[in-house]
Amino acid sequence: MVTSTESPLSRLPDPLLRWYRVNARDLPWRRTDSPYPIWVSEIMLQQTRVVAVLGYYGRFLAAFPTVRALAGASEDHLFKLWEGLGYYSRARNLQKAARIITERLGGVFPRTYKDLIALPGIGDYTASAIASAAFGQREAAVDGNVLRVFTRLTDCHRDITDLKVRRAVREQVGTVMPRAADDIRIFNQATMELGATVCVPGGPPKCGLCPARDFCLGRIRQTASALPVKAPKKERKIEEKTVFLLQREDGRIALKKRPGSGLLAGLWEFPNVSGTLDGGAGQELLSHWGLTPRDWRKRLTAKHIFTHVEWHMTGYSLLVSGAGTENFFWAGSADLDKIAVPSAFAKYLAEARSLLDAPPD
């Protein structure tokens, strides 16, 4: 019999698991205990909402149904299937890890936290999530949802952006994890589900629906809405850019590849430079690129927010003649269906598609 002297965290597992088995969302990666699809889902879900991932997940696994298929994919095909999800380094690390599993581990997926965390792109949370959901190992997976549940449940006012605090939470959650394999497989998912659907961010928790409402200190002490505590984020750096949407008279549009390292590494983009250029400076740059403007069609402004930087873009849509520089790739409509252009350039990509789809004059 549970007594009132027990900690709220130790009282969580049984009611949480009962609640989860009745209320969990039916998500495709929850219908399997195979490590590969679970891994893919966990990487896709990093910094991305579930509703955004659902379509990508099915298409990705249809194209790359096995670790070996992912390892052998071309980079352009991989990035095209990832197009719009953002944080493309996740896709690159997925493939790096798939190649390690295929080439060094004989295609056998690592089973332990220690071996999983050694793979590219797999950190503490992801290694724990895979080890528990796929292999039934008692590893606590602590993400933002779990931190929110924990701090409200225990009325913890420590800064959850502090790595020491996150480690302490992981250790404490690990001590109350169930021991039966079937329960272990869903415990982390259940805690995350509670944080995503009941103990929600950006608003008051739905305490009336919570399986922990009778012993949650945050609800009892009326502090839940003020938790978790986070240090203020640093202001994002603002970068000005000038983007050129260049179409030749044969209809093709200029793209170029970004460098192999850094932000959006290896992806395709429209030619651009730092700073905000006016028409005169833009014309000088076009001449440097070996292009002659025939028609300045439109000015297009856009903004894109990354985690630590914000791009403010001024764009020009032009009809040009000339070959351009050697690193330009002149793309047709079919090419845009095969290569990935990051969502930072979504406005320019939409305009490019409309130009390519327009009937000839």
Side-chain angles (χ1 to χ4, degrees):
M1 181 175 178
V2 175
T3 67
S4 60
T5 58
E6 288 180 297
S7 73
L9 185 61
S10 68
R11 298 177 67 177
L12 179 63
D14 287 345
L16 174 66
L17 294 177
R18 287 196 299 269
W19 170 85
Y20 179 80
R21 289 187 167 104
V22 174
N23 296 282
R25 290 169 292 178
D26 181 20
L27 301 174
W29 45 86
R30 291 177 175 168
R31 302 175 201 149
T32 180
D33 60 5
S34 174
Y36 174 62
I38 290 172
W39 171 45
V40 170
S41 73
E42 290 295 346
I43 299 300
M44 285 189 170
L45 287 164
Q46 291 172 6
Q47 299 177 290
T48 308
R49 295 169 60 237
V50 167
V51 67
V53 166
L54 285 170
Y56 285 92
Y57 178 78
R59 290 192 295 272
F60 193 93
L61 289 182
F64 311 128
T66 64
V67 174
R68 191 172 298 277
L70 174 57
S74 72
E75 188 175 81
D76 279 339
H77 190 194
L78 173 65
F79 286 162
K80 186 62 182 177
L81 285 168
W82 204 268
E83 187 179 46
L85 265 180
Y87 302 98
Y88 285 83
S89 60
R90 296 180 297 169
R92 185 177 286 107
N93 282 329
L94 263 174
Q95 187 172 61
K96 286 180 182 177
R99 288 173 175 167
I100 290 172
I101 294 169
T102 300
E103 297 166 8
R104 300 184 195 172
L105 305 179
V108 178
F109 211 95
R111 297 178 61 90
T112 67
Y113 171 91
K114 179 181 177 182
D115 290 337
L116 285 162
I117 204 170
L119 293 173
I122 294 185
D124 175 80
Y125 161 77
T126 306
S128 299
I130 298 169
S132 60
F135 302 114
Q137 297 189 19
R138 293 183 78 241
E139 298 286 353
V142 175
D143 70 347
N145 287 313
V146 176
L147 286 165
R148 186 165 56 256
V149 169
F150 175 89
T151 56
R152 289 173 174 174
L153 181 68
T154 62
D155 194 28
C156 173
H157 291 253
R158 298 177 69 187
D159 175 13
I160 64 167
T161 64
D162 186 332
L163 186 58
K164 292 180 181 178
V165 172
R166 298 173 76 96
R167 286 173 177 164
V169 171
R170 182 181 188 276
E171 182 177 347
Q172 291 180 61
V173 173
T175 64
V176 304
M177 286 187 74
R179 294 190 176 276
D182 287 346
D183 291 341
I184 291 171
R185 290 179 190 277
I186 64 171
F187 178 79
N188 286 322
Q189 296 177 55
T191 314
M192 288 182 269
E193 184 78 349
L194 187 67
T197 63
V198 174
C199 201
V200 293
K206 303 173 184 178
C207 294
L209 303 175
C210 182
R213 60 186 175 273
D214 291 340
F215 50 88
C216 174
L217 296 183
R219 186 195 68 80
I220 294 167
R221 298 172 182 173
Q222 299 184 348
T223 59
S225 293
L227 296 170
V229 173
K230 297 181 184 179
K233 291 182 179 179
K234 295 180 180 179
E235 289 191 11
R236 281 187 293 267
K237 178 183 177 183
I238 304 296
E239 293 184 358
E240 303 285 342
K241 291 190 174 292
T242 303
V243 182
F244 292 87
L245 181 52
L246 307 171
Q247 186 176 34
R248 290 194 313 203
E249 290 165 322
D250 63 2
R252 291 181 171 269
I253 288 174
L255 294 171
K256 69 182 186 69
K257 262 201 170 184
R258 290 181 63 82
S261 60
L263 185 65
L264 303 178
L267 298 174
W268 292 92
E269 65 179 355
F270 297 97
N272 64 87
V273 293
S274 298
T276 303
L277 305 187
D278 60 18
Q283 185 143 338
E284 286 186 24
L285 180 60
L286 291 171
S287 179
H288 175 73
W289 284 343
L291 298 170
T292 301
R294 299 300 183 193
D295 182 16
W296 290 77
R297 291 165 164 166
K298 190 184 291 188
R299 186 173 182 270
L300 300 162
T301 59
K303 180 173 74 172
H304 189 79
I305 297 173
F306 300 93
T307 304
H308 303 297
V309 67
E310 186 172 317
W311 283 1
H312 291 185
M313 293 171 279
T314 299
Y316 297 105
S317 174
L318 299 93
L319 181 67
V320 298
S321 60
T325 67
E326 63 181 14
N327 65 341
F328 279 12
F329 170 64
W330 294 92
S333 183
D335 297 311
L336 292 184
D337 293 334
K338 298 176 183 177
I339 60 178
V341 178
S343 57
F345 297 98
K347 188 169 186 177
Y348 302 101
L349 180 60
E351 180 69 14
R353 289 191 182 280
S354 69
L355 290 172
L356 290 168
D357 292 341
D361 295 334

